[in-house]
Amino acid sequence: MPVNADFQGRSYPPSGPYAVSAADIAAFADAVGSDDPLHHDAEVARAAGHADVIAPPTFAVTLAQRCDAAYVQDPDSGIDYSRVVHGEQRFVHHRPITAGDEVLGTLTVDSIRSAGGHAMIATRTELTVEGEPVCTSTSTIVVRGGEDA
């Protein structure tokens, strides 16, 4: 089944909440090689004006991908995950993601287009905490066509 173009413009109900802990932030910071004390030391983060440690900017992908799952796993979407290639990811941060946040994410399928036998899908995830915008994550995935595409 090909990717269902009727999903263009569809928004999914908010998913989550996703609890963000200091341990999650520290583990992600370690994984990306950040030794910035804002990601590891609550006292340093508070002295800088934050409520607790803050996440590296790309931490938002861990939350956005949880939201993307609603679309990618929707049997009517026509997406064969074994054929998905991640194309691009961008973030617009409205404020840092902070330990103690309970994040909700709302996914919208912005566009679906065909290119060279493949489906190019652009999604947008709005991450919020108690209704406050935290981050807008945009992503492009490519669903590879068949072997003859």
Side-chain angles (χ1 to χ4, degrees), residues 17-25 46 51-55 59 95-103 129-130:
Y18 304 110
V20 178
S21 72
D24 294 334
I25 290 172
R46 286 185 188 107
D52 205 327
V53 293
I54 61 171
F59 180 86
R95 70 136 168 103
I97 296 172
T98 306
D101 282 347
E102 295 280 332
V103 181
V129 173
E130 296 180 355

Side-chain angles (χ1 to χ4, degrees), residues 16-43:
Y18 304 110
V20 178
S21 72
D24 294 334
I25 290 172
F28 188 89
D30 289 344
V32 298
S34 176
D35 58 3
D36 187 328
L38 292 174
H39 310 313
H40 297 278
D41 187 327
E43 288 183 29

Side-chain angles (χ1 to χ4, degrees), residues 21-86:
S21 72
D24 294 334
I25 290 172
F28 188 89
D30 289 344
V32 298
S34 176
D35 58 3
D36 187 328
L38 292 174
H39 310 313
H40 297 278
D41 187 327
E43 288 183 29
V44 170
R46 286 185 188 107
H50 304 287
D52 205 327
V53 293
I54 61 171
T58 54
F59 180 86
V61 74
T62 67
L63 305 171
Q65 286 184 338
R66 291 179 188 177
C67 301
D68 291 349
Y71 170 52
V72 171
Q73 295 172 1
D74 188 325
D76 295 327
S77 71
I79 295 175
D80 175 354
Y81 193 71
S82 71
R83 304 195 67 75
V84 169
V85 177
H86 189 265

Side-chain angles (χ1 to χ4, degrees), residues 25 30-31 36 54 89 91 104 130 132 143 148:
I25 290 172
D30 289 344
D36 187 328
I54 61 171
Q89 189 83 42
F91 306 100
L104 291 177
E130 296 180 355
E132 173 191 9
V143 181
D148 57 348

Side-chain angles (χ1 to χ4, degrees), residues 72-140:
V72 171
Q73 295 172 1
D74 188 325
D76 295 327
S77 71
I79 295 175
D80 175 354
Y81 193 71
S82 71
R83 304 195 67 75
V84 169
V85 177
H86 189 265
E88 181 178 61
Q89 189 83 42
R90 293 178 185 247
F91 306 100
V92 175
H93 290 276
H94 310 292
R95 70 136 168 103
I97 296 172
T98 306
D101 282 347
E102 295 280 332
V103 181
L104 291 177
T106 303
L107 173 74
T108 299
V109 180
D110 283 335
S111 68
I112 301 171
R113 67 180 179 87
S114 181
H118 311 293
M120 308 286 288
I121 303 167
T123 62
R124 175 175 31 91
T125 303
E126 300 290 347
L127 300 175
T128 61
V129 173
E130 296 180 355
E132 173 191 9
V134 175
C135 179
T136 301
S137 170
T138 56
S139 176
T140 300

